[in-house]
Amino acid sequence: MFVIRCSLLALLVLAGLPAHAADAAAPVSFEWGMRIPLRDGVELSATLYRPRDQAAPLPCVFTLTPYIAQSYHERGMYFAANGYVFLAIDARGRGNSGGEFTPLLQEAKDGHDVVEWLAAQPYCNGKVSMWGGSYAGYNQWATAKEFPPHLATIVPVASPMAGVDFPMRHQMFYSYDMQWLTLVSGRTGQESIFGDGGFWSAQFRRWYEAGAPFDELDRWVGNPSPIFREWVAHPHADAYWDRYNPTPAEFARLSLPILSITGQYDGDQPGAIALYRAHFAHGAEQAKARHYLVIGPWDHAGTRTPKADFGGMTFGEASRIDMNALHKAWYDWTMKDGDKPGFLADKVAYYVTGEDAWRYAPTLDAVTARRETWYLDSVEGRANDVFASGDLRRDRAGRGRPDRYVHDPLDLSPAEREAEDGDGWLVDQRGDLRAGGGELFYHTPPFAEDVDVAGFFSLSAWIELDRPDTDIMVTLREVRPDGSTVFLASSGIRARYRHDLRRPQLAIPGAVERYDFDEFTFVARRIGKGSRLRLNIAPVNSMYAEKNYNTGGVVAAQSRKDARTVTVTLHHDPRRPSALTVPIAAPSSVRR
């Protein structure tokens, strides 16, 4: 089962739609078409919202967006009605702004210039912050690394980190990249094209079934893109991607208060967590003491407008935080000397699904009390069936013969199931049920009591390939007593990056090596009594992802003529103990 598809669906942009719009009769002064000069002479177009009865300068909040400023009208009305000046600003080269749009890279210097221009306006008291998620979460980090003197705080929501989770994850590019690049092509919005899921599914399927190289996907979908070609020419973290993100030295200099927000099912959770961790790895103690993190039971859009129902699941009412109110309370605290938001009772707030309650911890690592080791094993090397699978056991390392699956990259059958995908991706196990022997499955025994997990799974697997490269995806699900499942977390490895994400090293056919899957997504869930954990190890074969044809060549340039079948053998014996590590949740540091 290939689960990046789930993340791609979660990546779909929802720019506006606050939890509740401001009263249409709110006393807000509105000014459309303002021009903001940048240092290179380009002018950005902005829409200004401020309290109609404003008698003194106020803190200013702005969002810098490639999704056309008018999509943030409701947010502007809310904040202006609640004591802030708010500006929705078209990014360079988009909407009514001048210049040429260069995704992500342009935002650092432009954001700096906007902060300093705003601070000099008569309606601003010199304190400036930013609002936004996804792209507008990323550009808050980008602006902060330029250290504009009047940037008082940032609230990056669902922020990707370039080269970490966008435009690729686990060094595997998404087909979605071209869907997104089409959304931001030209100057005007392309929302109708972007939002037509059937159209994109058909486009990607044509490319997938033709076996064409991934670096030609832009032509297959009808939108040749130099940006896309440039991205895929840099398949792993390197100096090209480093320039998009704060450096260790820049993280060390950051001193402003930060509120980071992401979701368990947010497609950009890996980037948001990576940025958070980088700040804690390099930042000063005083700065880290003012960095808070919220992880809710939300998908990408839900990080700005939480919903109780999505993905086929329903979450508790406590999950539906009023995000506008949380932002306002944060701005009040950091820019108006107000009280600290009551919701932020400790440095990390995270929601435990199943328990349907918020918990707190002083650090991200502290959400995990301890880690349990479960060893992979099977009888006679037969773990290829979800109904007669291998085992996850705690008493000893595995003793059985190795398990293996064979992956033919010319197998196009996954497209049939993917074409049927609906909205219930969190509970969908059709891929597991249709695996047909081409994947590996391991189950724990049923739990004798509820077990709370929180943090990050990890898997160390002793793997042997008969080809120099392949892509492997690992997924964890809860299997409930009635046989239904709930998605928990996933990770993946492109074999050439098994030792170093920045330096590829092809596998030696026949060699048995340890593969450490330690980039799982965050999870916090109560695993119910009688439920089991299911570990699924599978090839990546999807019309929603770059295809690796297993030859060891440049993956983006490979096509069906390069295809080679690969056998992936997983060893589990006392000398090579393949094992899953399960994060057991700590009690909340704060009782609510």
Side-chain angles (χ1 to χ4, degrees):
M1 168 69 176
F2 178 64
V3 298
I4 283 180
R5 166 63 170 158
C6 302
S7 297
L8 298 182
L9 289 174
L11 276 168
L12 297 180
V13 177
L14 186 64
L17 300 179
H20 60 268
D23 186 337
V28 172
S29 176
F30 172 86
E31 186 175 344
W32 183 87
M34 292 182 58
R35 309 302 292 180
I36 300 176
L38 305 179
R39 73 187 81 174
D40 62 358
V42 169
E43 291 187 340
L44 303 185
S45 177
T47 303
L48 172 69
Y49 302 82
R50 57 194 180 108
R52 189 175 299 158
D53 58 356
Q54 182 180 355
L58 291 169
C60 291
V61 179
F62 73 94
T63 188
L64 185 60
T65 179
Y67 305 130
I68 314 305
Q70 66 87 24
S71 61
Y72 292 88
H73 172 69
E74 290 92 347
R75 304 286 183 180
M77 291 291 290
Y78 173 86
F79 287 108
N82 284 277
Y84 288 88
V85 175
F86 187 92
L87 288 91
I89 305 171
D90 286 325
R92 176 188 293 255
R94 294 287 293 154
N96 295 305
S97 288
E100 180 180 353
F101 181 60
T102 305
L104 303 173
L105 195 59
Q106 65 188 33
E107 307 304 343
K109 289 183 168 54
D110 288 0
H112 171 283
D113 291 0
V114 171
V115 170
E116 294 308 299
W117 179 86
L118 261 179
Q121 301 311 301
Y123 48 74
C124 184
N125 69 357
K127 295 181 179 180
V128 181
S129 184
M130 302 174 71
W131 181 95
S134 193
Y135 193 98
Y138 162 81
N139 64 29
Q140 294 187 54
W141 283 106
T143 298
K145 77 183 183 71
E146 296 295 309
F147 303 100
H150 293 92
L151 184 63
T153 181
I154 57 173
V155 189
V157 179
S159 173
M161 187 172 186
V164 172
D165 65 339
F166 188 80
M168 74 283 211
R169 173 78 171 139
H170 307 303
Q171 292 69 53
M172 308 171 201
F173 285 93
Y174 313 125
S175 303
Y176 171 83
D177 294 341
M178 274 311 306
Q179 187 174 353
W180 185 82
L181 285 169
T182 301
L183 171 67
V184 296
S185 292
R187 292 188 172 273
T188 60
Q190 314 294 331
E191 291 87 354
S192 294
I193 299 173
F194 172 82
D196 186 346
F199 167 80
W200 288 104
S201 177
Q203 298 293 89
F204 297 152
R205 187 169 181 174
R206 269 195 328 119
W207 158 79
Y208 172 79
E209 292 181 339
F214 185 78
D215 63 12
E216 295 179 2
L217 179 63
D218 57 337
R219 294 177 183 170
W220 277 84
V221 303
N223 185 11
S225 171
I227 294 169
F228 174 77
R229 295 297 181 100
E230 184 176 306
W231 285 353
V232 298
H234 296 274
H236 55 258
D238 58 11
Y240 174 85
W241 295 112
D242 291 344
R243 61 186 180 151
Y244 287 83
N245 304 311
T247 65
E250 288 166 342
F251 277 117
R253 282 185 59 196
L254 286 175
S255 60
L256 74 175
I258 302 171
L259 173 58
S260 293
I261 301 173
T262 185
Q264 287 193 45
Y265 314 111
D266 172 16
D268 281 326
Q269 182 212 111
I273 295 295
L275 287 160
Y276 175 88
R277 286 196 181 280
H279 185 219
F280 272 72
H282 305 292
E285 291 303 317
Q286 182 180 8
K288 291 187 288 187
R290 298 200 292 171
H291 192 164
Y292 287 73
L293 173 65
V294 176
I295 309 176
W298 310 312
D299 61 4
H300 193 60
T303 57
R304 279 138 293 165
T305 307
K307 296 186 299 183
D309 298 276
F310 69 89
M313 292 186 65
T314 299
F315 301 94
E317 189 60 30
S319 68
R320 297 187 64 198
I321 291 177
D322 184 335
M323 281 298 180
N324 280 347
L326 179 60
H327 277 75
K328 178 187 178 298
W330 178 267
Y331 297 144
D332 287 348
W333 183 41
T334 56
M335 296 196 291
K336 288 186 176 181
D337 297 321
D339 295 332
K340 187 179 80 169
F343 177 74
L344 302 177
D346 207 339
K347 297 298 173 53
V348 178
Y350 62 102
Y351 189 91
V352 180
T353 66
E355 181 187 31
D356 285 326
W358 288 95
R359 292 192 190 183
Y360 293 87
T363 67
L364 182 57
D365 290 337
V367 307
T368 304
R370 70 187 193 301
R371 304 182 68 82
E372 291 185 351
T373 300
W374 291 79
Y375 295 101
L376 281 65
D377 199 6
S378 69
V379 178
E380 299 299 322
R382 293 175 59 188
N384 298 92
D385 191 294
V386 71
F387 296 109
S389 68
D391 299 319
L392 289 166
R393 57 191 310 149
R394 296 206 60 205
D395 57 336
R396 59 167 175 78
R399 295 176 182 170
R401 289 161 46 186
D403 300 311
R404 58 180 50 85
Y405 68 78
V406 177
H407 167 50
D408 180 0
L410 296 183
D411 174 17
L412 303 180
S413 61
E416 287 297 328
R417 182 189 59 80
E418 290 181 326
E420 301 170 2
D421 275 352
D423 296 329
W425 65 274
L426 284 174
V427 296
D428 185 1
Q429 61 174 325
R430 285 175 297 169
D432 292 358
L433 300 178
R434 299 179 186 177
E439 304 176 12
L440 301 179
F441 297 93
Y442 301 87
H443 289 96
T444 66
F447 290 110
E449 58 186 7
D450 292 348
V451 176
D452 293 345
V453 298
F456 301 88
F457 287 95
S458 63
L459 171 69
S460 291
W462 289 89
I463 291 176
E464 174 188 352
L465 306 180
D466 64 351
R467 297 292 179 187
D469 197 27
T470 196
D471 293 345
I472 302 171
M473 184 61 63
V474 177
T475 307
L476 280 156
R477 291 181 174 81
E478 174 188 358
V479 183
R480 294 183 283 197
D482 64 359
S484 64
T485 63
V486 176
F487 170 81
L488 299 177
S490 64
S491 185
I493 288 180
R494 174 162 286 172
R496 68 181 69 189
Y497 299 109
R498 66 202 179 281
H499 298 312
D500 192 328
L501 298 180
R502 302 178 73 94
R503 296 171 182 84
Q505 179 183 345
L506 294 177
I508 301 172
V512 182
E513 299 183 78
R514 195 177 83 178
Y515 285 55
D516 292 318
F517 296 81
D518 53 9
E519 291 190 338
F520 276 88
T521 46
F522 177 90
V523 63
R525 179 165 176 81
R526 173 162 291 172
I527 307 298
K529 177 182 177 180
S531 288
R532 298 178 294 159
L533 293 181
R534 174 185 295 167
L535 172 67
N536 173 219
I537 302 172
V540 176
N541 185 8
S542 168
M543 63 184 176
Y544 296 105
E546 177 186 37
K547 178 172 282 196
N548 190 338
Y549 286 95
N550 307 326
T551 66
V554 177
V555 177
Q558 293 176 336
S559 66
R560 62 179 298 115
K561 66 179 176 56
D562 303 301
R564 299 292 185 274
T565 296
V566 63
T567 299
V568 176
T569 303
L570 189 145
H571 297 258
H572 42 69
D573 54 61
R575 187 164 61 93
R576 294 168 295 201
S578 294
L580 173 72
T581 304
V582 178
I584 304 301
S588 179
S589 63
V590 176
R591 288 193 175 275
R592 303 291 294 220

